């Protein structure tokens, strides 16, 4: 099968022993104050921007694109695991991704070679334009570990890691690989397969190279099958049945290719400009595939999201950018046109974050409270009577401790375990005779109506507001508390009401540095950075790329982090900053991540 060598264009916009039973807790868990993000993770893969440490928290409706979990081989008895079979294909694909051989032909659109029923698709185009490839090479060249003398050195490293002996990198790979390639996950007759399309500039060399690669991997044709066309090589890999799956994939792609799928076309056309990597997922189809493979998280995936995800990775003048959209979301976290400006007004700290509180927050919290009420329990009262029972005697407490050792070592008989659990329950409900549990002095906390009333007061004040924070890193304490700044910009001039509510709940006056002025309640530490975040040219540049209606944003100055934690950033000195913003467009969640690099 062959296809048009001209790539398709996509217009559009883009105390006591450990407990066996814990005392019951009622109501929502207490929220602990956050003093800034954790120390950032300096190990960022070039070309795949990531957040600092853990990914930023995203409320319901806001999602950050992540690749699907790898297939599980649990319960499989195949002679060669799927991962091993895929090693040949992944070797070739990885080689293309990092080698950037200079072949003028871009190759056919890989999506034309894949069945429209594919659940996940990724395309790598190393020569999408005269602009992208030079930027890509320039950015990667800033990292010492990627400073290879030649592409042959890179291939040698890849082959060494893959453990494929007898493969000549130049003869078996670079002599025929083009620049535009794709990979998809596809289900055929109840089995999952990886389908790969590799652009080829020399069919004869590709035929010889693929044969040697398959033989070196020790894979059978029924586990890894391929066909060589004039301009590409189509490969299907699985535990078994690969040859039949290859024929079926070709047949379906001939009648209904992924490139002509309405859902894929709509998602792909949204990406703006040339992309080095395109990643598309049909979440519903992926959940079906995960369920078929026995994955326990399939249903959770369906509950999390239903629709499609499209993401594109490109190089820009100062680094790499990832943009994404979740089509069919319908419950996107609504944003504000002023959030990035609010964030720009923050002190120019090493890190900053901002979030918009939706105007319908009362409705959302109402749903959460309804769910929490069942957990809270109808029997809960502010001052419950203590249940009947006796504290442990000294002898029983000694017996309890002895049994506990055996319980955690899993050496108790059935009768001993029953006795332990009985003593354990009495201990945690009534204590000991020397230290009894005083129920008269204990309160389970407010009843549910009081919780609802307090939450209602908060949501009434916070609806439509913007929250922001900034601060600096500290080598000894992770975060400098003196540098912290927090602010709440309310929709109305009710900042003093919010301050009074916080003081009421705290049971004491608010700390020095808190100010309520009209619609703004803020806290400024004694060592807050001078100047505004917007004065940083990198942030200002990012603010222009953020969604028009931004719901949440995170900024981390990686250069400052590297200066504060030099040992952690050894080898990652070119990193300059990380930024992420999530918003909405036509009811769908959209977002952009940028990784800035030093000049």
């Amino acid at each position: 099968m062959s296809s048009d060598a001209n790539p398709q264009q996509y217009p559009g916009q883009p105390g006591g022993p450990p407990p066996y039973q814990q005392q019951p807790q009622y109501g929502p868990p207490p929220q602990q104050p956050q003093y800034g993000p954790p120390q950032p993770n300096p190990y960022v893969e070039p070309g795949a921007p990531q957040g600092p440490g853990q990914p930023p928290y995203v409320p319901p409706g806001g999602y950050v694109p992540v690749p699907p979990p790898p297939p599980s081989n649990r319960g499989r008895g195949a002679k060669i695991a799927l991962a091993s079979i895929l090693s040949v294909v992944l070797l070739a694909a990885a080689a293309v991704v990092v080698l950037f051989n200079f072949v003028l032909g871009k190759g056919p659109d890989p999506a034309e070679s894949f069945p429209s029923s594919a659940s996940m698709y990724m395309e790598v185009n190393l020569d999408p334009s005269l602009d992208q490839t030079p930027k890509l090479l320039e950015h990667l060249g800033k990292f010492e570990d990627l400073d290879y003398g030649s592409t042959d050195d890179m291939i040698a490293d890849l082959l060494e890691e893959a453990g494929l002996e007898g493969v000549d990198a130049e003869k078996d790979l670079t002599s025929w690989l083009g620049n535009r390639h794709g990979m998809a996950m596809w289900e055929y007759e109840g089995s999952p397969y990886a389908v790969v399309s590799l652009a080829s500039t020399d069919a004869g060399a590709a035929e010889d190279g693929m044969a040697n690669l398959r033989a070196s991997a020790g894979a059978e044709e029924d586990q890894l099958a391929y066909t060589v066309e004039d301009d590409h090589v189509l490969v299907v890999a699985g535990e078994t049945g690969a040859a039949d799956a290859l024929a079926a994939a070709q047949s379906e792609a001939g009648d209904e290719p992924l490139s002509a799928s309405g859902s894929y076309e709509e998602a792909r056309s949204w990406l703006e400009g040339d992309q080095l990597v395109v990643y598309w997922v049909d979440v519903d189809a992926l959940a079906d595939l995960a369920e078929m493979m026995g994955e326990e998280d399939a249903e959770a995936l369906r509950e999390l999201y239903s629709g499609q995800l499209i993401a594109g990775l490109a190089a820009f003048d100062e680094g790499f950018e990832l943009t994404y959209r979740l089509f069919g979301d319908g419950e996107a976290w609504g944003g504000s046109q002023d959030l990035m400006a609010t964030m720009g007004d923050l002190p120019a700290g090493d890190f900053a974050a901002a979030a918009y509180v939706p105007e319908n927050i009362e409705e959302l919290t109402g749903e959460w409270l309804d769910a929490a009420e069942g957990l809270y329990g109808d029997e809960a009262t502010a001052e419950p009577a203590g249940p009947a029972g006796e504290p442990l005697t000294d002898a029983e407490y000694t017996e309890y401790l002895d049994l506990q050792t055996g319980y955690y070592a899993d050496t108790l008989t059935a009768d001993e375990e029953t006795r332990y659990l009985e003593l354990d329950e009495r201990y945690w409900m009534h204590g000991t005779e020397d230290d009894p549990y005083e129920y008269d002095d204990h309160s389970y906390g407010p009843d549910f109506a009081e919780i609802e009333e307090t939450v209602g007061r908060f949501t009434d004040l916070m609806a439509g507001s913007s929250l922001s924070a900034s601060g600096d890193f500290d080598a000894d304490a992770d975060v400098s508390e003196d540098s912290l700044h927090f602010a709440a910009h309310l929709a109305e001039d009710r900042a003093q009401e919010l301050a009074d509510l916080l003081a009421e709940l705290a049971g004491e006056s608010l700390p020095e540095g808190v100010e309520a002025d009209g619609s703004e309640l803020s806290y400024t530490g004694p060592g807050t950075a001078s100047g505004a975040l917007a004065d940083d040219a990198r942030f200002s540049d990012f603010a222009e790329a953020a969604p028009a209606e931004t719901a949440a944003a995170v900024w981390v100055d990686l250069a400052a982090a590297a200066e504060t934690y030099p040992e952690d950033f050894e080898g990652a000195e070119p990193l300059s900053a990380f930024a992420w913003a999530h918003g909405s467009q036509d009811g769908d969640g959209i977002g952009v991540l940028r990784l800035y690099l030093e000049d």
Side-chain angles (χ1 to χ4, degrees), residues 89 91-97 99-107 126 155 158 169-181 196-203 205-206 210 213 231-233:
V89 177
L91 170 65
V96 176
V97 172
L99 297 182
F100 317 114
N101 54 87
F102 297 98
V103 179
L104 295 179
K106 297 179 180 180
L126 301 175
I155 290 179
L158 286 171
E170 181 178 357
K171 178 181 177 182
D172 295 328
L173 288 175
T174 58
S175 63
W176 60 271
L177 280 175
N179 283 328
R180 196 175 185 192
H181 315 272
V196 178
S197 176
L198 302 173
S200 169
T201 60
D202 187 329
M210 286 301 302
L213 285 169
D231 52 11
H232 72 285
V233 176

Side-chain angles (χ1 to χ4, degrees), residues 521-567:
L521 178 66
S522 65
Y523 165 79
T524 303
T528 300
S530 60
L533 184 58
D535 297 334
D536 189 316
R538 298 168 302 173
F539 177 81
S540 296
D541 175 70
F542 174 71
E544 294 182 1
E549 295 186 357
T550 302
V554 172
W555 167 265
V556 180
D557 189 329
L558 296 177
E563 185 176 345
T564 306
Y565 316 108
E567 294 182 359

Side-chain angles (χ1 to χ4, degrees), residues 444-523:
Y444 279 93
D447 60 28
F448 198 76
E450 291 177 294
I451 293 176
E452 287 185 304
E453 189 270 339
T454 300
V455 171
R457 291 169 66 186
F458 264 116
T459 57
D460 180 51
L461 288 167
M462 300 304 297
S465 65
S466 295
L467 308 177
S468 58
S470 67
D472 293 330
F473 296 121
D474 184 274
D476 298 323
D478 291 339
V479 172
S480 169
E481 294 189 12
D482 288 347
S483 72
L484 295 177
H485 174 86
F486 301 96
H489 301 266
L490 309 184
E492 302 177 55
D493 292 344
R494 303 174 65 184
Q496 189 58 54
E497 288 185 53
L498 178 58
D500 293 342
L501 177 57
L502 292 172
E504 176 186 332
L505 294 175
E508 58 185 8
S509 59
L510 296 179
E512 184 179 351
V514 174
E515 294 185 4
D517 182 11
S519 63
E520 181 178 347
L521 178 66
S522 65
Y523 165 79

Side-chain angles (χ1 to χ4, degrees), residues 153-527:
D153 295 337
M154 301 174 72
I155 290 179
D157 283 349
L158 286 171
L159 292 178
E160 183 179 349
E161 291 179 9
L164 293 180
E165 298 180 359
V167 175
D168 185 307
E170 181 178 357
K171 178 181 177 182
D172 295 328
L173 288 175
T174 58
S175 63
W176 60 271
L177 280 175
N179 283 328
R180 196 175 185 192
H181 315 272
M183 175 178 178
M185 289 302 298
W186 180 59
E187 179 269 330
Y188 174 66
E189 294 190 344
S191 297
Y193 293 92
V195 185
V196 178
S197 176
L198 302 173
S200 169
T201 60
D202 187 329
E207 188 75 59
D208 295 340
M210 286 301 302
N212 195 29
L213 285 169
R214 183 169 64 184
S216 297
E220 302 294 336
E221 183 178 354
D222 204 39
Q223 298 165 326
L224 191 150
Y226 63 86
T227 180
V228 178
E229 304 290 345
D230 290 339
D231 52 11
H232 72 285
V233 176
L234 187 65
V235 187
V236 172
E239 288 190 2
T240 188
D244 290 341
L246 173 60
Q250 286 183 289
S251 178
E252 182 179 333
D255 297 333
E256 300 179 32
L258 179 63
S259 60
S261 166
S263 57
Y264 173 76
E265 281 191 314
E266 177 189 14
R268 180 61 181 88
S269 65
W270 176 80
L271 287 175
E272 182 183 43
D274 300 305
Q275 306 291 325
L276 294 164
V277 178
V278 172
Y279 180 75
W280 172 83
V281 179
D282 181 332
V283 180
D284 299 312
L286 186 65
D288 291 340
L289 181 61
E291 185 176 47
M292 178 195 70
M293 297 172 63
E295 293 290 340
E296 299 177 356
D297 297 333
E299 191 59 36
L301 180 59
R302 287 192 180 93
E303 294 177 359
L304 175 66
Y305 177 72
S306 178
Q308 302 172 67
L309 159 70
I310 188 76
L313 174 68
F316 68 105
D317 289 344
E318 298 176 76
F320 296 99
E321 175 183 88
L322 179 74
T323 55
Y324 64 89
R325 180 172 180 174
L326 297 118
F327 285 85
D329 186 356
E331 298 180 359
W333 181 12
S336 166
Q337 296 182 351
D338 302 322
L339 189 68
M340 295 307 295
T342 298
M343 191 174 181
D345 291 336
L346 288 169
D350 297 341
F351 59 84
Y356 175 73
V357 181
E359 294 182 3
N360 66 334
I361 185 64
E362 185 175 0
E363 176 184 343
L364 295 174
T365 54
E367 296 176 0
W368 299 335
L369 286 171
D370 288 342
E373 186 173 10
L375 298 175
Y376 194 82
D378 296 332
E379 304 296 328
T381 60
E383 295 290 342
E390 296 293 333
L392 299 184
T393 64
D394 290 343
E396 288 175 327
Y397 184 60
T398 300
E399 179 187 6
Y400 170 58
L401 295 179
D402 290 340
L403 288 172
Q404 185 180 71
T405 300
Y407 180 79
Y408 285 109
D410 197 24
T411 59
L412 299 184
T413 65
D415 290 341
E416 289 173 332
E417 183 173 333
T418 299
R419 175 58 172 169
Y420 169 74
L421 295 178
E422 173 194 341
L423 294 174
D424 183 74
E425 181 176 4
R426 283 176 57 196
Y427 175 78
W428 289 105
M429 293 295 292
H430 310 290
T432 66
E433 289 180 337
D434 292 338
D435 187 16
Y437 194 87
E438 300 292 342
Y439 279 88
D440 292 341
D441 296 334
H442 176 72
S443 170
Y444 279 93
D447 60 28
F448 198 76
E450 291 177 294
I451 293 176
E452 287 185 304
E453 189 270 339
T454 300
V455 171
R457 291 169 66 186
F458 264 116
T459 57
D460 180 51
L461 288 167
M462 300 304 297
S465 65
S466 295
L467 308 177
S468 58
S470 67
D472 293 330
F473 296 121
D474 184 274
D476 298 323
D478 291 339
V479 172
S480 169
E481 294 189 12
D482 288 347
S483 72
L484 295 177
H485 174 86
F486 301 96
H489 301 266
L490 309 184
E492 302 177 55
D493 292 344
R494 303 174 65 184
Q496 189 58 54
E497 288 185 53
L498 178 58
D500 293 342
L501 177 57
L502 292 172
E504 176 186 332
L505 294 175
E508 58 185 8
S509 59
L510 296 179
E512 184 179 351
V514 174
E515 294 185 4
D517 182 11
S519 63
E520 181 178 347
L521 178 66
S522 65
Y523 165 79
T524 303

Side-chain angles (χ1 to χ4, degrees), residues 39 42-43 475 558-573:
Q39 178 176 331
Y43 304 104
L558 296 177
E563 185 176 345
T564 306
Y565 316 108
E567 294 182 359
D568 293 334
F569 277 77
E570 184 177 357
E573 289 80 3

